[in-house]
Amino acid sequence: MLLLMIFIMLRVVFLGTGGALPTVNRNPSSILVNREGELLLFDCGEGTQQQMMRARTGMMSLSSIFITHFHADHVLGIPGLLQTLSFHGRDAPLTIYGPAWVEQFVKLVSLLGYCRLNFEIKAVPLEAGDTVQREGYVINAIASEHSVPSLAYSLVENDRPGKFDRRHAEELGVPVGPLFSRLQKGESVEVNGRVIYPNEVIGPSRKGRKLIYTGDTRPCEAIIKASKNADVLIHDGTLAQEKADWACESLHSTAKEAADVAQKAEVQRLILTHISSRYTDDSSVLLEEAKEVFENTCVADDLMEFEVPYGKQ
């Protein structure tokens, strides 16, 4: 079997990994997803645009901002980012998605700084269960549990084509060359008076990748269900287990609780973020507690990049 060579970039850049307070090592929450050159921003804490510059991600290809909730540490970077985009000559619309109050937020942002933007900002309110359709993938809004209206998000790619069986195609008389490409594109071809159909030489479709970003949340069933078999789960891991009572009171998660979610959802990889300033110099306790439950865990650092791999299928 010959693998159909279609690889789409899906890169995550952690622009801000801190909890409510910025520290010298961690900016407030912001995660950038680069899918084959299209930039998607999930939350936008203060300093996000500078982090984008440091990481050399670019910003003019930003198509959307997805806000999990409207606590200040998740949105204060938006006004400056919008003005910078305008100064750089952006004229394409930008869509900001978020839970209840996103429309009011966009109106307020538009009034800040006496700066008239050169492009339109579209506000789209979402509720849990809503889906944003994009070319080749969807963004799903997921119920989360925090102290204000909040959402988690999943990015789920469309299924990929199956594997191409070159040997069988040759046995059927298909010559190497353009007819291979047509079969791989789903077209039938005729060889020596016989029609060869794609399903004769191409295996069943394969699942696309799935990426989950929880924002601030308690562990909850909706996120476990949405994360089932995800390639990457980026979960609130604010506190160590010794602060479990405070995590419960403030509606955040401990690292161990995030690992429990990862284990129940059978994800491939867990990445902890929204790290409390208590651990800004040493987050090893969070990593150790999570790994006791779910081994394939790491703690995100600012400017860390991660390429989401294709699953083995």
Side-chain angles (χ1 to χ4, degrees):
M1 298 282 276
L2 179 66
L3 183 63
L4 186 60
M5 302 297 285
I6 299 178
F7 296 101
I8 301 295
M9 176 201 295
L10 187 59
R11 178 178 300 152
V12 182
V13 184
F14 291 85
L15 300 174
T17 60
L21 300 175
T23 71
V24 295
N25 298 324
R26 295 185 184 275
N27 266 40
S29 294
S30 184
I31 291 174
L32 186 77
V33 174
N34 183 333
R35 187 178 186 276
E36 201 63 15
E38 180 189 8
L39 303 182
L40 309 170
L41 197 59
F42 291 84
D43 286 334
C44 186
E46 61 184 283
T48 289
Q49 62 173 323
Q50 288 182 301
Q51 294 291 79
M52 295 172 81
M53 295 171 191
R54 292 185 181 103
R56 300 182 182 275
T57 63
M59 59 180 69
M60 298 302 284
S61 296
L62 182 67
S63 68
S64 311
I65 302 175
F66 292 85
I67 301 301
T68 59
H69 65 289
F70 289 98
H71 277 157
D73 58 312
H74 291 254
V75 298
L76 283 183
I78 291 177
L81 174 60
L82 296 180
Q83 292 194 15
T84 296
L85 291 172
S86 188
F87 289 152
H88 285 173
R90 182 187 179 107
D91 56 13
L94 178 70
T95 305
I96 300 179
Y97 298 89
W101 203 67
V102 66
E103 291 170 306
Q104 295 92 321
F105 175 80
V106 166
K107 288 179 182 178
L108 289 173
V109 167
S110 300
L111 297 174
L112 289 176
Y114 293 96
C115 177
R116 193 175 187 86
L117 299 179
N118 297 323
F119 58 94
E120 178 187 4
I121 309 172
K122 300 178 181 179
V124 179
L126 297 175
E127 297 180 351
D130 287 346
T131 295
V132 179
Q133 295 282 346
R134 293 291 175 86
E135 185 176 352
Y137 68 96
V138 299
I139 303 288
N140 299 310
I142 307 161
S144 57
E145 294 184 11
H146 196 43
S147 54
V148 296
S150 62
L151 294 169
Y153 294 102
S154 66
L155 186 157
V156 183
E157 292 183 324
N158 296 352
D159 287 352
R160 294 185 293 148
K163 294 180 179 180
F164 179 67
D165 191 338
R166 171 174 177 158
R167 179 179 299 176
H168 187 51
E170 291 177 343
E171 290 173 350
L172 292 173
V174 183
V176 176
L179 295 187
F180 273 23
S181 178
R182 289 177 57 188
L183 285 166
Q184 292 171 348
K185 292 177 181 178
E187 301 175 21
S188 300
V189 301
E190 184 173 340
V191 177
N192 299 326
R194 179 190 169 183
V195 176
I196 309 297
Y197 297 97
N199 61 4
E200 295 182 74
V201 293
I202 296 177
S205 61
R206 296 164 289 169
K207 291 290 186 183
R209 292 164 291 188
K210 182 195 288 189
L211 169 68
I212 311 291
Y213 171 57
T214 69
D216 296 3
T217 186
R218 290 292 297 153
C220 62
E221 286 301 318
I223 289 176
I224 294 172
K225 182 177 179 181
S227 302
K228 192 69 176 177
N229 299 128
D231 297 280
V232 181
L233 169 61
I234 303 169
H235 200 289
D236 178 339
T238 305
L239 296 160
Q241 201 60 24
E242 66 174 0
K243 296 291 184 180
D245 290 345
W246 174 237
C248 188
E249 183 178 341
S250 60
L251 294 174
H252 285 288
S253 299
T254 68
K256 179 181 181 300
E257 288 172 329
D260 286 333
V261 172
Q263 183 183 58
K264 291 174 181 176
E266 300 179 282
V267 304
Q268 295 299 310
R269 185 181 184 92
L270 169 65
I271 304 179
L272 301 175
T273 190
H274 201 268
I275 307 304
S276 168
S277 58
R278 293 175 177 84
Y279 316 105
T280 190
D281 294 322
D282 183 6
S283 60
S284 60
V285 62
L286 303 178
L287 184 62
E288 291 168 3
E289 290 184 358
K291 278 181 167 286
E292 288 178 2
V293 177
F294 189 81
E295 176 62 27
N296 197 13
T297 299
C298 72
V299 177
D301 292 316
D302 279 21
L303 305 184
M304 183 179 96
E305 297 188 13
F306 177 74
E307 196 83 30
V308 182
Y310 285 106
K312 297 178 180 179
Q313 299 177 48

